[in-house]
Amino acid sequence: MGAVDLGAPPWWPDGPAAPPAHRPPHAFPAETPAETTTRLRPVRTRSAFRTAAAAVCVVLGLGLIGGAATGSWLISDSSADPAAHSTYTVGRAAWHSVPVDTLFPRTLKGDGAGPGGADRVWTRLAVAPDSGCATALDPLLLKTVRPAGCARLLRATYTDATSSSVTTVGLLFTEGDTDAMRALSTRFTDQHLDGRTDLMPRAYPVKGTPAAGFGDKQRASWSVHVLTEVPVVVFAVSGFADGRAVTTPQPAAAAMAANATTPAAQAGLGHEAKGLADRVERSLRRTVTDRTEKPE
């Protein structure tokens, strides 16, 4: 049997030096990808409804972004405004924004506030309804503070641990600005108005308590202090719990003097008025400062 040509490649290492001229070159089949074309999905014509919906979404999105930006600007602007949290703004609003138990605590301790440095403890009997100044102040005192204006008046009456003395302490919130309060303070100091008996604050009697008979004739000692850091006038007036009338009332500064011999001085009523007024004032200052530095 003759040899069968299996169709060897055109060149082999052990074969002839050159392939026959008439034999065509051997071609390997090219690699064909699984898919030679990508089918494109037809694009649908956009309907009017879809266009309108897309426009609404864009408008809403821009509105939300704009609203957020505006809100952020407003918040930033408000917090950056120093006047929004000034002591005058915060202090003037304290009569309705601060709890009454903060302005007039139920119990107040006066360490070293009594005669000879004795300790004092005062218990609140009642808080008067907030009011204007027309009925709560003597006419002359009302006229004196009128240049600063009267926004609101708060008062509370206390008694000491022995229930032998009663004291009304008050906070007069004015409408005045810094200049008005400084002018009022200067006038009180220069003219010694805090020592005039015709400018004594009125007492707040409380029925069914040791202060039931605490009226105008029972006033024995008093203190008036015009603040300039906040638009407030702090005052206190003290008397005997038994309701006795006092013919020689004495301002607290005079009644606290070492050589004072009046009944008010001997009973320590000057210390009562000054001690309570000072502690209510300190509490107010601390509260206003905290709210000014850490606005809510």
Side-chain angles (χ1 to χ4, degrees):
M1 180 178 298
V4 179
D5 184 4
L6 296 178
W11 177 84
W12 197 258
D14 296 332
H22 66 279
R23 183 174 293 174
H26 184 79
F28 289 97
E31 182 178 0
T32 305
E35 187 175 354
T36 57
T37 59
T38 301
R39 298 182 180 180
L40 300 177
R41 298 180 180 179
V43 179
R44 298 180 180 178
T45 303
R46 181 171 296 178
S47 65
F49 173 79
R50 287 169 60 88
T51 302
V56 170
C57 291
V58 171
V59 172
L60 289 177
L62 291 175
L64 290 174
I65 294 173
T70 302
S72 175
W73 176 81
L74 289 174
I75 294 174
S76 175
D77 182 70
S78 176
S79 62
D81 183 6
H85 300 295
S86 70
T87 55
Y88 267 62
T89 301
V90 175
R92 186 173 288 112
W95 72 268
H96 64 79
S97 63
V98 177
V100 66
D101 286 345
T102 300
L103 294 174
F104 301 122
R106 295 177 181 273
T107 302
L108 275 170
K109 293 184 178 181
D111 295 341
D119 295 339
R120 283 287 189 265
V121 177
W122 298 284
T123 301
R124 194 181 74 195
L125 298 176
V127 177
D130 62 274
S131 66
C133 295
T135 58
L137 298 180
D138 280 344
L140 190 55
L141 181 57
L142 177 61
K143 181 180 179 180
T144 303
V145 300
R146 183 169 291 142
C150 175
R152 215 64 182 168
L153 179 64
L154 303 183
R155 296 180 295 166
T157 296
Y158 288 79
T159 187
D160 68 329
T162 63
S163 296
S164 60
S165 67
V166 288
T167 304
T168 293
V169 59
L171 296 172
L172 193 167
F173 294 85
T174 76
E175 299 170 342
D177 57 12
T178 305
D179 292 338
M181 295 304 295
R182 288 176 178 172
L184 183 62
S185 176
T186 299
R187 184 182 179 193
F188 261 80
T189 300
D190 292 348
Q191 300 179 19
H192 306 287
L193 301 184
D194 55 344
R196 287 177 48 168
T197 56
D198 55 355
L199 294 179
M200 268 195 300
R202 281 183 174 170
Y204 171 59
V206 183
K207 294 181 180 180
T209 73
F214 191 25
D216 288 348
K217 294 182 179 180
Q218 285 71 38
R219 296 176 293 179
S221 189
W222 73 98
S223 171
V224 179
H225 187 201
V226 180
L227 308 185
T228 55
E229 298 86 355
V230 290
V232 177
V233 178
V234 183
F235 65 83
V237 56
S238 60
F240 294 99
D242 59 9
R244 75 181 78 171
V246 179
T247 57
T248 54
Q250 194 173 28
M256 294 171 64
N259 59 349
T261 59
T262 62
Q266 294 295 316
L269 294 181
H271 290 80
E272 299 294 309
K274 187 68 165 61
L276 264 168
D278 283 352
R279 277 146 188 83
V280 169
E281 178 183 325
R282 292 175 195 171
S283 178
L284 174 66
R285 288 177 183 273
R286 183 168 53 252
T287 300
V288 171
T289 298
D290 289 345
R291 292 184 171 224
T292 303
E293 294 178 349
K294 303 174 182 178
E296 296 181 356

